[in-house]
Amino acid sequence: MIRLFVPRDSFALALDADAVAARITAEARERKLDIVVVRNGSRGLAFLEPLVEVDTPMGRMAYGPVTVADVASLFEAKFHEGGKHPLAHGRTDAIPFLKNQQRLTFARCGLTDPLSLADYQAHGGFAGLAAALKKSPADIVAEVTASGLRGRGGAGFPTGIKWQTVLNAAEPEKYICCNADEGDSGTFADRMLMEGDPFLLIEGMTIAGLAAGAREGFLYIRSEYPQAIATMVRACELAQAAGFLGQSIQGTNHSFSLHVRTGAGAYICGEETAMLESLEGKRGMVRAKPPIPALEGLFGKPTIINNVLSFAAVPDILARGGAAYQALGLGRSRGTLPFQLAGNVKQGGLVELAFGPSLRSLINDFGGGTASGRPIRAVQVGGPLGAYLPEAALDTPLDYEAFAGASAMLGHGGVVVFDDTVDMGLQARFAMEFCAVESCGKCTPCRIGAQRGVEVIDRLRASENPAANLALLKDLCQTMTDASLCAMGGLTPMPVLSALSHFPEDFQPAAKAAE
Amino acid sequence: MSQTPASPAVETATAIAQAHGNRPDALLEMLHEIQHRLGFIPEAVIPALAQALNRSRAEVFGVVSFYHDFRRQPAGRHVVRVCRAEACQARGGRETEAALQQHLRLKTGETAPDGSVTLEAVYCLGLCAIGPAVMVDGKLHARAEGKRLATLLTEVAS
């Protein structure tokens, strides 16, 4: 029997993977071939999706991007035996894009059937949980602290310190919340992980439950990710039935239950306190801090809130020890970050690397430059609230502190590439417009400031009183930075001011046209 | 005058709330289910939910109006959501949105007068490496430009 893999990840589904899988099954039946099609996660080579793989004695061979029209010719070329074809890429793990990565969190993603517990365990799954079940809560937290793991959602707060705070809290009732409201443009790693390796997230959250003494967890997934929601709901049912969730986990006296909750299209609910409000069934209005959620979080109880990738990094840390994870990276950025190459890039997808290489190496060596073939003009790193960097800044090392030093942020590791056709004045306007649309409305600098920001940029671009409006825009940005309640209003000036300082010519298109 | 009997919409909403144990924290889940069943959140279900969850009408209405997902009017028979976020902009998303507007003769956010289709903006579908991204009736489409977009447009029209 031949095993073929056609991903069930959204990347592949959005490029007709279901139809490709159906065509392969039908074609195999007509040719009387004994073939089973496994619907795996994505290997992260988005530019080759749908990437069809074949299990051969030489290893897994890759073909892509495959359309329905290619299926017949693939069979003609005996691709099911690893045969040559214009879409063939040889062994999947030898493709440079994949071979040159350091995959820890995404080591299993794409190799397995995401909803097969047997597959998960055969590939090292639940080793971290097994290790954690033998440890005291304090020892679990110590391992996470030793790993140097910092929150992967963007802020980079040390995960061990957060967990320790919740562990120390005296309340009997505590919660674990996973923020899977991955609303930042240019990011898709959370989605890929939930769709491609859901048990890893369940394992990580369960370990957090053991560490903090929490018996209940909530997974908040944005509604724009229906495939991730369906996968996680099913994975929770399977884990529960197999005794990995629920009462007496694996026969111990520990219990942990996990609820999947769906967001409703509000970007602000990616902010942790707005997410808590939303989980409580309210408007997603940001809370003032303090109190910090680690002490007064969901329903007012001590709560560990982490991003999908932070929880997903934990099983490996418990299985192999914090020191092994800490050995990767540089400075205070330890371990690996799953970078996401997006926008106008030739080879987009997921690139997990230890911290340290330059942004240029990521975009050129992995991404292969722009998709349009035109020169790179700007790169936005860290989502809609991240800075726009000019070509000259591409040598910045991928490290939290180095990016902060360049008045930018590494954030969640999303990298959006723009070629030289981009109008940076328009991008700055969009940043303000987006903030105006998505502001929760609680604080004035964000709610009103973003609206005024759009108007000032429009006046600037129409060359109305440029000097006065420029001063006004800078002043407005300062107010938003200093006086907003959360990162939404506080960081919106980052893309605006970075665009203004690196690409000032784009803010006077009228003057430029007159030249 | 006798009390008017509960409308089918109110009955649906009450039953959904009850299935969630009338837990106030499950309000978003309830609203998703109501919208899935009825196509939108009718005005009449707001007081019914408020009563079931022991919250004020203002609180329930506040939730319905806060979240972009919840509709207070029915959408068109087809819903086209086009991604407007940066990664898609970098790959021609603005052109895709313009093409959809022109083809459907709608501005983003509008529903056709005959109720056939709604065109909406969405900020990121998580397909940022292979944009521009479009979602049609819940189904994802990547690389929505050129020939693929043309094919999609004919499907949307039919």
Side-chain angles (χ1 to χ4, degrees):
Chain A
M1 186 180 65
I2 301 157
R3 293 214 306 163
L4 286 173
F5 297 86
V6 183
R8 62 205 298 288
D9 179 278
S10 292
F11 276 144
L13 295 178
L15 293 167
D16 313 319
D18 281 344
V20 169
R23 188 67 229 137
I24 287 175
T25 307
E27 190 84 26
R29 200 179 301 129
E30 283 161 28
R31 292 167 186 263
K32 303 200 175 4
L33 291 167
D34 187 14
I35 275 175
V36 58
V37 175
V38 179
R39 302 304 301 271
N40 58 335
S42 172
R43 303 291 296 256
L45 296 93
F47 61 104
L48 292 180
E49 295 288 5
L51 180 79
V52 177
E53 289 181 274
V54 187
D55 219 354
T56 75
M58 298 93 79
R60 273 164 73 155
M61 311 296 275
Y63 298 83
V66 176
T67 64
V68 173
D70 297 318
V71 172
S73 75
L74 283 164
F75 274 99
E76 286 302 315
K78 293 205 182 309
F79 85 122
H80 49 284
E81 293 164 14
K84 282 199 170 62
H85 187 276
L87 295 178
H89 300 277
R91 281 178 50 165
T92 317
D93 55 15
I95 298 174
F97 186 92
L98 201 55
K99 190 179 146 202
N100 298 328
Q101 300 193 25
Q102 288 153 292
R103 288 214 169 171
L104 295 180
T105 302
F106 280 84
R108 195 185 299 103
C109 189
L111 288 177
T112 55
D113 172 352
L115 291 174
S116 162
L117 272 166
D119 251 12
Y120 184 65
Q121 287 174 282
H123 286 81
F126 292 122
L129 179 64
L133 284 168
K134 294 190 195 108
K135 286 180 188 286
S136 69
D139 285 347
I140 298 174
V141 174
E143 208 65 70
V144 173
T145 305
S147 73
L149 176 67
R150 291 166 66 178
R152 296 290 185 244
F157 187 82
T159 306
I161 293 177
K162 190 183 278 184
W163 287 26
Q164 187 70 52
T165 308
V166 178
L167 171 61
N168 291 349
E171 285 268 352
E173 215 172 318
K174 299 174 185 180
Y175 293 101
I176 309 298
C177 288
C178 178
N179 184 343
D181 195 55
E182 186 180 49
D184 283 357
S185 175
T187 62
F188 44 77
D190 295 356
R191 179 188 61 65
M192 267 184 63
L193 192 113
M194 291 187 285
E195 293 177 359
D197 201 9
F199 297 120
L200 181 63
L201 178 55
I202 293 175
E203 185 180 354
M205 289 185 73
T206 307
I207 293 170
L210 297 176
R215 288 178 298 276
E216 218 172 340
F218 288 85
L219 171 55
Y220 186 87
I221 311 178
R222 62 199 297 262
S223 62
E224 292 86 344
Y225 284 179
Q227 180 70 6
I229 294 167
T231 309
M232 287 308 314
V233 166
R234 184 70 192 126
C236 286
E237 290 166 2
L238 293 167
Q240 175 116 17
F244 289 103
L245 277 178
Q247 299 294 320
S248 70
I249 292 168
Q250 295 302 291
T252 65
N253 57 2
H254 297 288
S255 66
F256 186 70
S257 56
L258 189 51
H259 311 278
V260 177
R261 288 289 173 87
T262 306
Y267 174 78
I268 194 61
C269 291
E271 197 282 337
E272 60 177 7
T273 62
M275 181 191 74
L276 292 175
E277 292 289 301
S278 189
L279 278 171
E280 293 179 7
K282 302 174 191 161
R283 291 161 71 91
M285 306 285 277
V286 170
R287 294 180 186 172
K289 287 192 266 192
I292 55 169
L295 296 175
E296 287 181 40
L298 187 64
F299 306 121
K301 305 295 181 190
T303 304
I304 290 181
I305 305 172
N306 279 128
N307 168 258
V308 172
L309 300 185
S310 311
F311 284 120
V314 167
D316 177 69
I317 289 167
L318 267 292
R320 297 191 308 128
Y325 192 83
Q326 206 273 344
L328 295 170
L330 87 166
R332 293 201 291 120
S333 304
R334 312 309 309 183
T336 60
L337 187 64
F339 294 97
Q340 296 128 86
L341 265 176
N344 196 329
V345 65
K346 199 169 158 200
Q347 303 188 146
L350 184 116
V351 182
E352 183 172 355
L353 290 175
F355 292 92
S358 70
L359 184 55
R360 189 185 300 281
S361 141
L362 181 65
I363 295 170
N364 288 341
D365 301 346
F366 288 91
T370 60
S372 60
R374 302 182 66 96
I376 295 173
R377 179 136 188 263
V379 179
Q380 188 178 31
V381 183
L385 307 176
Y388 282 103
L389 296 168
E391 214 274 341
L394 294 188
D395 293 309
T396 311
L398 297 164
D399 156 76
Y400 291 119
E401 277 68 40
F403 265 71
S407 304
M409 67 171 188
L410 193 51
H412 186 289
V415 173
V416 178
V417 179
F418 292 82
D419 71 12
D420 63 350
T421 60
V422 67
D423 176 346
M424 294 306 298
L426 201 55
Q427 296 308 121
R429 184 191 193 276
F430 177 79
M432 285 292 190
E433 186 192 350
F434 182 67
C435 184
V437 173
E438 296 296 336
S439 172
C440 82
K442 184 155 175 169
C443 71
T444 317
C446 178
R447 184 184 69 241
I448 308 285
Q451 195 60 53
R452 294 291 96 87
V454 172
E455 295 159 10
V456 176
I457 293 174
D458 279 346
R459 288 203 294 272
L460 255 181
R461 285 165 57 80
S463 297
E464 271 178 52
N465 290 328
N469 278 311
L470 195 60
L472 191 58
L473 180 60
K474 287 179 177 168
D475 185 61
L476 176 66
C477 283
Q478 193 63 50
T479 304
M480 289 176 72
T481 305
D482 294 342
S484 295
L485 198 53
C486 80
M488 175 100 218
L491 289 177
T492 291
M494 197 185 264
V496 176
L497 292 176
S498 59
L500 191 58
S501 84
H502 299 304
F503 310 94
E505 64 276 17
D506 285 18
F507 286 77
Q508 293 154 328
K512 211 167 139 189
E515 273 174 21
Chain B
M1 250 180 24
S2 67
Q3 219 177 353
T4 23
S7 71
V10 167
E11 276 176 18
T12 303
T14 317
I16 287 171
Q18 204 155 27
H20 284 277
N22 290 332
R23 282 177 59 159
D25 61 283
L27 178 56
L28 269 70
E29 300 295 314
M30 296 170 193
L31 291 171
H32 276 302
E33 283 176 40
I34 292 167
Q35 184 156 299
H36 182 72
R37 292 266 290 277
L38 305 176
F40 70 115
I41 310 290
E43 205 71 40
V45 312
I46 290 173
L49 283 175
Q51 192 173 14
L53 308 187
N54 198 19
R55 289 230 169 140
S56 71
R57 287 179 191 204
E59 282 170 311
V60 176
F61 176 80
V63 170
V64 173
S65 63
F66 183 86
Y67 294 95
H68 298 307
D69 279 4
F70 301 130
R71 308 174 186 286
R72 293 164 56 210
Q73 264 91 43
R77 288 188 294 282
H78 298 288
V79 177
V80 179
R81 308 178 81 189
V82 56
C83 179
R84 244 189 199 175
E86 292 88 339
C88 282
Q89 291 167 6
R91 299 185 67 102
R94 287 193 178 98
E95 289 74 15
T96 295
E97 184 181 355
L100 283 164
Q101 289 175 336
Q102 199 188 357
H103 181 79
L104 300 173
R105 293 197 195 95
L106 293 174
K107 286 188 196 134
T108 307
E110 286 182 347
T111 298
D114 64 357
S116 58
V117 60
T118 298
L119 178 64
E120 288 181 342
V122 61
Y123 294 92
C124 197
L125 293 165
L127 301 174
C128 320
I130 48 171
V134 172
M135 192 185 239
V136 181
D137 298 334
K139 190 177 181 315
L140 293 168
H141 300 270
R143 302 193 193 282
E145 57 186 344
K147 226 165 140 187
R148 282 184 57 86
L149 179 62
T151 314
L152 194 59
L153 290 176
T154 33
E155 282 171 24
V156 171
S158 61

